[in-house]
Structures are given as structure tokens and as C-alpha cells.
Coordinates of all heavy atoms in Angstrom, one line a residue:
M1 N -22.2 -1.0 -14.0 CA -20.9 -1.2 -14.7 C -19.9 -1.9 -13.8 O -19.8 -1.5 -12.6 CB -20.4 0.3 -15.0 CG -19.5 0.3 -16.2 SD -19.1 1.9 -16.7 CE -17.4 2.0 -16.4
P2 N -19.3 -2.9 -14.3 CA -18.4 -3.7 -13.4 C -17.2 -2.8 -13.0 O -16.7 -2.0 -13.8 CB -18.0 -4.9 -14.3 CG -18.3 -4.5 -15.7 CD -19.4 -3.4 -15.6
R3 N -16.7 -3.0 -11.8 CA -15.5 -2.3 -11.4 C -14.3 -2.9 -12.1 O -14.3 -4.1 -12.4 CB -15.4 -2.4 -9.9 CG -16.3 -1.5 -9.2 CD -16.1 -1.6 -7.7 NE -14.8 -1.3 -7.3 CZ -14.2 -1.8 -6.2 NH1 -14.8 -2.7 -5.5 NH2 -13.0 -1.4 -5.9
K4 N -13.4 -2.0 -12.3 CA -12.1 -2.5 -12.9 C -11.4 -3.4 -11.9 O -11.1 -3.1 -10.8 CB -11.2 -1.3 -13.3 CG -10.6 -1.6 -14.6 CD -9.7 -0.4 -15.0 CE -8.4 -0.9 -15.5 NZ -7.3 -0.1 -15.3
A5 N -11.2 -4.6 -12.4 CA -10.6 -5.7 -11.7 C -9.4 -5.4 -10.9 O -8.3 -5.3 -11.3 CB -10.2 -6.7 -12.7
P6 N -9.6 -5.3 -9.7 CA -8.3 -4.9 -9.0 C -7.4 -6.0 -8.7 O -7.5 -7.1 -9.2 CB -8.8 -4.2 -7.7 CG -10.3 -4.4 -7.7 CD -10.7 -5.2 -8.9
S7 N -6.7 -5.5 -8.1 CA -5.5 -5.9 -7.3 C -5.6 -7.2 -6.5 O -4.6 -7.7 -6.3 CB -5.2 -4.7 -6.4 OG -6.4 -4.1 -6.0
K8 N -6.8 -7.6 -6.2 CA -6.9 -8.8 -5.3 C -6.4 -10.0 -6.0 O -6.1 -11.0 -5.4 CB -8.3 -8.9 -4.8 CG -8.6 -7.8 -3.9 CD -9.6 -8.1 -2.8 CE -9.7 -7.0 -1.9 NZ -11.0 -6.7 -1.4
K9 N -6.4 -10.0 -7.3 CA -5.9 -11.2 -8.0 C -4.4 -11.3 -7.7 O -3.9 -12.4 -7.8 CB -6.1 -11.0 -9.5 CG -7.4 -10.6 -9.9 CD -8.1 -11.6 -10.8 CE -9.6 -11.6 -10.5 NZ -10.5 -12.0 -11.5
I10 N -3.7 -10.2 -7.5 CA -2.3 -10.3 -7.2 C -2.1 -10.9 -5.8 O -2.9 -10.6 -4.9 CB -1.7 -8.9 -7.2 CG1 -2.0 -8.2 -8.5 CG2 -0.1 -9.0 -7.1 CD1 -1.5 -6.8 -8.6
S11 N -1.2 -11.8 -5.7 CA -1.0 -12.5 -4.4 C -0.2 -11.7 -3.5 O 0.9 -12.0 -3.2 CB -0.4 -13.8 -4.8 OG -0.4 -14.6 -3.7
M12 N -0.8 -10.6 -3.0 CA -0.1 -9.7 -2.1 C -1.0 -9.4 -0.9 O -2.2 -9.6 -0.9 CB 0.2 -8.4 -2.7 CG 1.0 -8.5 -4.0 SD 2.7 -8.5 -3.7 CE 3.1 -6.8 -3.8
K13 N -0.4 -9.0 0.2 CA -1.2 -8.5 1.4 C -0.6 -7.2 1.7 O 0.5 -6.8 1.4 CB -1.1 -9.5 2.5 CG 0.3 -9.8 3.0 CD 0.3 -10.9 4.0 CE 1.8 -11.2 4.4 NZ 1.9 -12.3 5.4
A14 N -1.4 -6.4 2.5 CA -1.0 -5.1 2.8 C -0.7 -4.9 4.3 O -1.4 -5.5 5.1 CB -2.1 -4.1 2.4
C15 N 0.3 -4.2 4.6 CA 0.7 -3.9 6.0 C -0.4 -3.0 6.6 O -0.7 -2.0 6.0 CB 2.0 -3.2 6.0 SG 2.5 -2.6 7.6
K16 N -0.9 -3.4 7.7 CA -2.0 -2.5 8.3 C -1.4 -1.3 8.9 O -2.2 -0.3 9.1 CB -2.7 -3.3 9.4 CG -3.7 -4.3 8.9 CD -4.5 -4.8 10.1 CE -5.7 -5.7 9.6 NZ -6.4 -6.3 10.8
N17 N -0.2 -1.2 9.2 CA 0.4 -0.1 9.8 C 0.8 1.0 8.7 O 0.4 2.2 8.9 CB 1.7 -0.5 10.5 CG 2.3 0.7 11.3 OD1 1.6 1.5 11.9 ND2 3.6 0.7 11.2
C18 N 1.4 0.6 7.6 CA 1.9 1.6 6.7 C 1.3 1.5 5.3 O 1.4 2.3 4.4 CB 3.4 1.7 6.6 SG 4.1 0.2 5.8
G19 N 0.6 0.3 5.0 CA 0.0 0.1 3.7 C 0.9 -0.5 2.7 O 0.4 -0.7 1.6
A20 N 2.1 -0.8 3.1 CA 3.0 -1.4 2.1 C 2.5 -2.8 1.6 O 1.9 -3.6 2.4 CB 4.4 -1.6 2.7
L21 N 2.6 -3.1 0.4 CA 2.2 -4.4 -0.2 C 3.4 -5.3 -0.2 O 4.5 -5.0 -0.7 CB 1.7 -4.2 -1.6 CG 0.3 -3.6 -1.6 CD1 -0.1 -3.2 -3.1 CD2 -0.8 -4.4 -1.0
V22 N 3.2 -6.5 0.4 CA 4.2 -7.5 0.4 C 3.7 -8.8 -0.1 O 2.5 -9.0 -0.1 CB 4.8 -7.7 1.8 CG1 5.4 -6.4 2.4 CG2 3.7 -8.2 2.8
P23 N 4.5 -9.7 -0.6 CA 4.1 -11.0 -1.0 C 3.5 -11.7 0.2 O 3.8 -11.5 1.3 CB 5.4 -11.7 -1.4 CG 6.4 -10.7 -1.7 CD 6.0 -9.5 -0.8
K24 N 2.5 -12.6 -0.1 CA 1.8 -13.3 1.0 C 2.7 -14.1 1.9 O 2.4 -14.3 3.0 CB 0.7 -14.2 0.4 CG -0.5 -13.4 0.0 CD -1.8 -14.2 -0.1 CE -3.0 -13.2 -0.3 NZ -3.9 -13.8 -1.2
E25 N 3.8 -14.5 1.3 CA 4.7 -15.4 2.1 C 5.5 -14.5 3.2 O 6.1 -15.1 4.1 CB 5.8 -16.1 1.3 CG 5.3 -16.7 0.0 CD 5.1 -15.8 -1.1 OE1 6.0 -15.3 -1.7 OE2 3.9 -15.6 -1.4
S26 N 5.5 -13.2 3.0 CA 6.3 -12.4 3.9 C 5.7 -12.3 5.3 O 4.5 -12.3 5.4 CB 6.5 -11.0 3.3 OG 7.2 -11.0 2.2
N27 N 6.5 -12.2 6.3 CA 6.0 -12.1 7.6 C 6.2 -10.8 8.3 O 5.6 -10.4 9.2 CB 6.6 -13.2 8.5 CG 6.2 -14.6 8.1 OD1 5.1 -14.8 7.8 ND2 7.2 -15.5 8.0
V28 N 7.2 -10.0 7.7 CA 7.5 -8.7 8.3 C 7.5 -7.7 7.2 O 8.0 -7.9 6.1 CB 8.9 -8.8 8.9 CG1 9.3 -7.4 9.5 CG2 9.0 -9.9 10.0
C29 N 6.9 -6.5 7.5 CA 6.8 -5.5 6.6 C 8.2 -4.9 6.3 O 8.9 -4.5 7.3 CB 5.9 -4.4 7.1 SG 5.9 -2.9 6.1
P30 N 8.7 -4.8 5.1 CA 10.0 -4.3 4.8 C 10.1 -2.8 5.1 O 11.2 -2.2 5.2 CB 10.3 -4.6 3.4 CG 8.9 -4.7 2.8 CD 8.0 -5.2 3.9
V31 N 9.0 -2.1 5.1 CA 9.0 -0.6 5.3 C 9.0 -0.2 6.7 O 9.8 0.6 7.2 CB 7.8 0.0 4.5 CG1 7.8 1.5 4.7 CG2 7.9 -0.3 3.1
C32 N 8.1 -0.8 7.5 CA 8.0 -0.3 8.9 C 8.3 -1.4 9.9 O 8.3 -1.2 11.1 CB 6.6 0.3 9.1 SG 5.3 -1.0 9.2
G33 N 8.4 -2.7 9.5 CA 8.8 -3.7 10.4 C 7.5 -4.4 11.1 O 7.7 -5.2 12.0
S34 N 6.4 -3.9 10.8 CA 5.1 -4.4 11.4 C 4.9 -5.9 10.9 O 5.3 -6.3 9.8 CB 4.0 -3.6 11.0 OG 2.7 -4.2 11.3
T35 N 4.2 -6.6 11.8 CA 3.8 -8.0 11.4 C 2.3 -8.1 11.2 O 1.8 -9.2 11.2 CB 4.4 -9.0 12.4 OG1 3.9 -8.6 13.7 CG2 5.9 -9.1 12.4
N36 N 1.7 -7.0 11.2 CA 0.2 -7.0 11.1 C -0.2 -6.7 9.7 O -0.1 -5.6 9.2 CB -0.2 -5.8 12.0 CG -1.6 -6.1 12.5 OD1 -2.3 -7.0 12.2 ND2 -2.1 -5.1 13.4
F37 N -0.8 -7.7 9.0 CA -1.2 -7.6 7.6 C -2.7 -7.8 7.4 O -3.3 -8.5 8.2 CB -0.4 -8.6 6.8 CG 1.1 -8.3 6.8 CD1 2.0 -9.0 7.6 CD2 1.6 -7.3 5.9 CE1 3.3 -8.7 7.6 CE2 3.0 -7.1 5.9 CZ 3.8 -7.8 6.8
S38 N -3.1 -7.3 6.3 CA -4.5 -7.6 5.9 C -4.6 -7.9 4.5 O -3.8 -7.4 3.7 CB -5.3 -6.3 6.2 OG -6.6 -6.5 5.6
E39 N -5.5 -8.9 4.2 CA -5.7 -9.2 2.7 C -6.8 -8.4 2.2 O -7.1 -8.5 1.0 CB -5.9 -10.7 2.6 CG -4.6 -11.4 2.8 CD -4.7 -12.9 2.7 OE1 -5.6 -13.4 1.9 OE2 -3.9 -13.6 3.3
D40 N -7.4 -7.6 3.0 CA -8.5 -6.7 2.5 C -7.9 -5.3 2.2 O -7.9 -4.5 3.0 CB -9.5 -6.6 3.7 CG -10.7 -5.7 3.3 OD1 -10.9 -5.5 2.1 OD2 -11.3 -5.2 4.3
W41 N -7.5 -5.2 0.9 CA -7.0 -3.9 0.5 C -7.4 -3.6 -0.9 O -7.8 -4.5 -1.6 CB -5.4 -4.0 0.6 CG -4.8 -5.1 -0.2 CD1 -4.5 -6.4 0.2 CD2 -4.3 -5.0 -1.5 NE1 -3.9 -7.1 -0.8 CE2 -3.8 -6.3 -1.9 CE3 -4.2 -4.0 -2.5 CZ2 -3.2 -6.5 -3.1 CZ3 -3.7 -4.3 -3.7 CH2 -3.2 -5.5 -4.0
E42 N -7.2 -2.4 -1.3 CA -7.6 -2.0 -2.6 C -6.7 -1.0 -3.2 O -6.2 -0.1 -2.5 CB -9.0 -1.3 -2.6 CG -10.2 -2.2 -2.5 CD -11.5 -1.4 -2.3 OE1 -11.7 -0.5 -3.2 OE2 -12.1 -1.6 -1.3
G43 N -6.5 -1.1 -4.5 CA -5.7 0.0 -5.2 C -4.2 -0.1 -4.9 O -3.8 -0.6 -3.8
I44 N -3.4 0.4 -5.8 CA -2.0 0.4 -5.6 C -1.4 1.7 -6.0 O -1.8 2.3 -6.9 CB -1.3 -0.7 -6.6 CG1 -1.7 -2.1 -6.1 CG2 0.2 -0.5 -6.7 CD1 -1.1 -3.2 -7.0
F45 N -0.5 2.2 -5.2 CA 0.3 3.3 -5.7 C 1.8 3.0 -5.4 O 2.1 2.3 -4.4 CB -0.1 4.7 -5.2 CG 0.1 4.9 -3.7 CD1 1.2 5.6 -3.3 CD2 -0.8 4.4 -2.8 CE1 1.4 5.9 -1.9 CE2 -0.6 4.6 -1.4 CZ 0.5 5.4 -1.0
I46 N 2.6 3.6 -6.3 CA 4.0 3.2 -6.2 C 4.8 4.5 -5.9 O 4.6 5.5 -6.7 CB 4.5 2.6 -7.4 CG1 3.8 1.3 -7.7 CG2 6.0 2.3 -7.4 CD1 4.0 0.6 -9.0
V47 N 5.6 4.6 -4.9 CA 6.5 5.7 -4.7 C 7.9 5.3 -5.1 O 8.5 4.5 -4.4 CB 6.4 6.1 -3.2 CG1 7.3 7.3 -2.9 CG2 5.0 6.4 -2.7
L48 N 8.3 5.9 -6.2 CA 9.7 5.6 -6.6 C 10.7 6.6 -6.0 O 11.8 6.2 -5.8 CB 9.7 5.8 -8.2 CG 8.9 4.9 -9.0 CD1 8.9 5.3 -10.4 CD2 9.3 3.5 -8.8
D49 N 10.2 7.8 -5.7 CA 11.1 8.8 -5.1 C 10.4 9.5 -4.0 O 9.5 10.3 -4.2 CB 11.5 9.7 -6.3 CG 12.4 10.8 -5.8 OD1 12.8 10.8 -4.6 OD2 12.7 11.7 -6.6
Q50 N 10.8 9.2 -2.8 CA 10.1 9.8 -1.7 C 10.4 11.3 -1.5 O 9.8 12.0 -0.7 CB 10.4 9.1 -0.4 CG 11.8 9.2 0.2 CD 12.7 8.1 -0.3 OE1 12.8 7.8 -1.5 NE2 13.4 7.5 0.6
E51 N 11.4 11.8 -2.4 CA 11.6 13.3 -2.4 C 10.8 14.0 -3.4 O 10.9 15.2 -3.6 CB 13.1 13.5 -2.7 CG 14.1 12.9 -1.7 CD 13.9 13.4 -0.3 OE1 13.7 14.6 -0.1 OE2 13.9 12.6 0.7
S52 N 10.0 13.3 -4.2 CA 9.3 13.9 -5.2 C 8.2 14.8 -4.7 O 7.8 14.7 -3.5 CB 8.6 12.8 -6.1 OG 7.6 12.2 -5.4
E53 N 7.7 15.7 -5.5 CA 6.7 16.7 -5.1 C 5.4 16.0 -4.7 O 4.8 16.4 -3.7 CB 6.4 17.6 -6.3 CG 7.5 18.6 -6.6 CD 7.9 19.5 -5.4 OE1 7.0 20.0 -4.7 OE2 9.1 19.6 -5.1
I54 N 5.1 15.0 -5.4 CA 3.8 14.3 -5.0 C 4.0 13.6 -3.7 O 3.1 13.7 -2.8 CB 3.5 13.2 -6.1 CG1 3.0 14.0 -7.4 CG2 2.4 12.3 -5.6 CD1 2.7 13.1 -8.6
A55 N 5.1 13.0 -3.4 CA 5.3 12.3 -2.2 C 5.3 13.3 -1.0 O 4.7 13.1 0.0 CB 6.6 11.6 -2.1
K56 N 5.8 14.5 -1.3 CA 5.8 15.6 -0.3 C 4.4 16.1 0.0 O 4.0 16.3 1.1 CB 6.7 16.7 -0.7 CG 8.2 16.4 -0.5 CD 9.1 17.6 -0.9 CE 10.5 17.2 -0.8 NZ 11.4 18.1 -1.5
E57 N 3.7 16.2 -1.1 CA 2.3 16.7 -1.0 C 1.5 15.7 -0.2 O 0.7 16.1 0.6 CB 1.8 16.7 -2.5 CG 0.4 17.4 -2.5 CD 0.5 18.7 -3.2 OE1 1.5 19.4 -3.2 OE2 -0.6 19.1 -3.7
L58 N 1.7 14.4 -0.4 CA 1.0 13.4 0.3 C 1.6 13.2 1.7 O 1.1 12.4 2.5 CB 1.0 12.1 -0.4 CG 0.3 12.1 -1.8 CD1 0.5 10.8 -2.5 CD2 -1.2 12.3 -1.6
K59 N 2.7 13.9 2.0 CA 3.4 13.6 3.2 C 3.8 12.2 3.4 O 3.7 11.6 4.4 CB 2.6 14.1 4.5 CG 2.3 15.6 4.4 CD 1.9 16.1 5.7 CE 1.7 17.6 5.8 NZ 1.2 18.2 4.6
F60 N 4.2 11.6 2.3 CA 4.5 10.2 2.2 C 6.0 10.1 2.0 O 6.5 10.4 0.9 CB 3.8 9.6 1.1 CG 3.4 8.2 1.4 CD1 2.2 7.9 2.1 CD2 4.2 7.1 1.0 CE1 1.9 6.6 2.5 CE2 3.8 5.8 1.4 CZ 2.7 5.6 2.1
N61 N 6.7 9.7 3.0 CA 8.2 9.7 2.9 C 8.8 8.3 2.8 O 9.9 8.1 3.2 CB 8.8 10.5 4.0 CG 8.4 10.0 5.3 OD1 7.7 9.0 5.4 ND2 8.8 10.6 6.4
K62 N 8.0 7.4 2.4 CA 8.5 6.0 2.2 C 8.5 5.6 0.8 O 7.7 6.0 0.0 CB 7.6 5.1 3.0 CG 7.6 5.4 4.5 CD 6.6 4.6 5.3 CE 5.2 5.0 5.1 NZ 4.6 5.6 6.2
K63 N 9.4 4.8 0.4 CA 9.5 4.3 -0.9 C 9.0 2.9 -1.0 O 9.2 2.1 -0.1 CB 11.0 4.2 -1.2 CG 11.4 4.7 -2.6 CD 13.0 4.6 -2.6 CE 13.5 5.3 -3.8 NZ 14.9 5.3 -3.9
G64 N 8.3 2.6 -2.1 CA 7.8 1.2 -2.2 C 6.4 1.2 -2.9 O 6.0 2.1 -3.5
I65 N 5.8 0.0 -2.8 CA 4.5 -0.2 -3.3 C 3.5 -0.3 -2.2 O 3.7 -1.0 -1.2 CB 4.5 -1.5 -4.1 CG1 5.6 -1.5 -5.2 CG2 3.1 -1.7 -4.8 CD1 5.7 -2.8 -5.9
F66 N 2.4 0.5 -2.3 CA 1.5 0.6 -1.2 C 0.1 0.4 -1.7 O -0.3 0.7 -2.9 CB 1.6 2.0 -0.5 CG 3.0 2.2 0.1 CD1 4.0 2.8 -0.7 CD2 3.2 1.8 1.3 CE1 5.2 3.0 -0.2 CE2 4.5 2.0 1.9 CZ 5.5 2.6 1.1
A67 N -0.8 -0.1 -0.8 CA -2.2 -0.1 -1.1 C -2.8 1.2 -0.8 O -2.4 1.9 0.2 CB -2.8 -1.2 -0.2
I68 N -3.8 1.6 -1.5 CA -4.5 2.9 -1.3 C -5.4 2.8 -0.1 O -5.5 3.7 0.8 CB -5.2 3.4 -2.5 CG1 -4.2 3.7 -3.6 CG2 -6.1 4.6 -2.2 CD1 -4.8 4.0 -5.0
K69 N -6.0 1.6 0.0 CA -6.9 1.4 1.1 C -6.6 0.1 1.8 O -6.4 -0.9 1.1 CB -8.4 1.3 0.5 CG -9.3 2.3 1.1 CD -10.6 2.1 0.3 CE -11.8 2.7 1.1 NZ -13.1 2.6 0.4
V70 N -6.6 0.0 3.1 CA -6.3 -1.2 3.8 C -7.5 -1.4 4.9 O -7.7 -0.5 5.6 CB -5.0 -1.3 4.5 CG1 -4.8 -2.6 5.3 CG2 -3.8 -1.1 3.5
S71 N -8.1 -2.5 4.8 CA -9.3 -2.8 5.7 C -10.2 -1.6 5.8 O -10.7 -1.2 6.8 CB -8.8 -3.1 7.1 OG -8.0 -4.2 7.1
G72 N -10.5 -1.0 4.6 CA -11.5 0.0 4.5 C -11.0 1.4 4.9 O -11.8 2.3 4.7
S73 N -9.8 1.6 5.3 CA -9.3 3.0 5.5 C -8.2 3.3 4.6 O -7.3 2.5 4.3 CB -9.0 3.2 7.0 OG -8.2 2.1 7.5
Y74 N -8.2 4.6 4.3 CA -7.1 5.0 3.3 C -5.8 5.2 4.0 O -5.7 5.7 5.1 CB -7.6 6.4 2.7 CG -8.7 6.3 1.7 CD1 -10.0 6.5 2.1 CD2 -8.4 6.0 0.4 CE1 -11.0 6.4 1.2 CE2 -9.4 5.8 -0.5 CZ -10.7 6.1 -0.1 OH -11.8 5.9 -1.0
T75 N -4.8 4.8 3.2 CA -3.4 4.9 3.8 C -2.9 6.4 3.5 O -2.1 6.9 4.3 CB -2.4 4.0 3.0 OG1 -2.9 3.7 1.7 CG2 -2.2 2.7 3.8
I76 N -3.4 7.0 2.5 CA -3.1 8.4 2.2 C -4.3 9.3 2.5 O -5.4 8.9 2.2 CB -2.6 8.6 0.8 CG1 -3.4 7.8 -0.2 CG2 -1.1 8.3 0.7 CD1 -2.9 8.1 -1.6
K77 N -4.0 10.4 3.2 CA -5.1 11.2 3.6 C -5.3 12.4 2.6 O -4.4 12.8 2.0 CB -4.9 11.8 5.0 CG -4.4 10.7 5.9 CD -5.5 10.3 6.9 CE -5.5 8.8 7.4 NZ -4.4 8.1 7.7
Ligands
LIG101 ZN1 4.4 -1.5 7.1

């Protein structure tokens, strides 16, 4: 069964440090300031409210759009 077409069609890259997704033209991660990016990422999750129960549960205190996996490792544990 074919996998559901991800995210790679979207012209984004993921911050290797925090997993934030940024446009390919960006040079600096808006979330953590890192300049280390990877185009090898999978899945997307969006944190609209870092005070939400889910964000707390994931111990994720940043707002934005993130990749679930970057270079083969999960951003959320
Ligand atoms: Zn980052």
C-alpha cells in the first residue's frame, strides 16, 4: 500500500536542532536561531498554543510548525 504522500512536496526544510519547518530560502531558524537544516524530514505537527495540555504532555514549549522526524530521528519523544 502506498504511503500517504507526505510533506516532501512542500518546499520546506527542517531545523536539525528543534525540528521547526522553514521555507527553503530561510537561513536561520525562527524558533531557536540555528542555521543547521535538513531536507530529510517527515510529518508535520503544528503547535498553536504552547500552553496547551498536549504541548505540556510532549514537553514542547515552542510555537510553530515542526517536522515529526528530522534526519531519521524524532523531534518529539
Ligand atoms: Zn530550530
Side-chain angles (χ1 to χ4, degrees):
M1 206 170 117
R3 282 179 63 208
K4 218 180 140 212
S7 31
K8 292 210 171 143
K9 309 242 152 154
I10 307 173
S11 189
M12 303 275 267
K13 58 186 179 181
C15 172
K16 279 190 172 175
N17 184 43
C18 71
L21 287 172
V22 299
K24 283 205 173 139
E25 313 80 72
S26 295
N27 295 317
V28 179
C29 171
V31 177
C32 72
S34 167
T35 53
N36 205 356
F37 294 98
S38 172
E39 288 181 26
D40 176 24
W41 58 273
E42 281 177 57
I44 290 182
F45 70 100
I46 300 172
V47 180
L48 296 174
D49 178 5
Q50 71 269 49
E51 301 297 318
S52 71
E53 288 304 312
I54 288 175
K56 281 180 185 162
E57 188 111 335
L58 296 172
K59 300 196 173 34
F60 214 85
N61 58 1
K62 299 171 283 247
K63 225 176 186 174
I65 305 175
F66 299 89
I68 293 172
K69 239 175 159 181
V70 180
S71 298
S73 44
Y74 287 96
T75 27
I76 39 178
K77 313 254 146 45

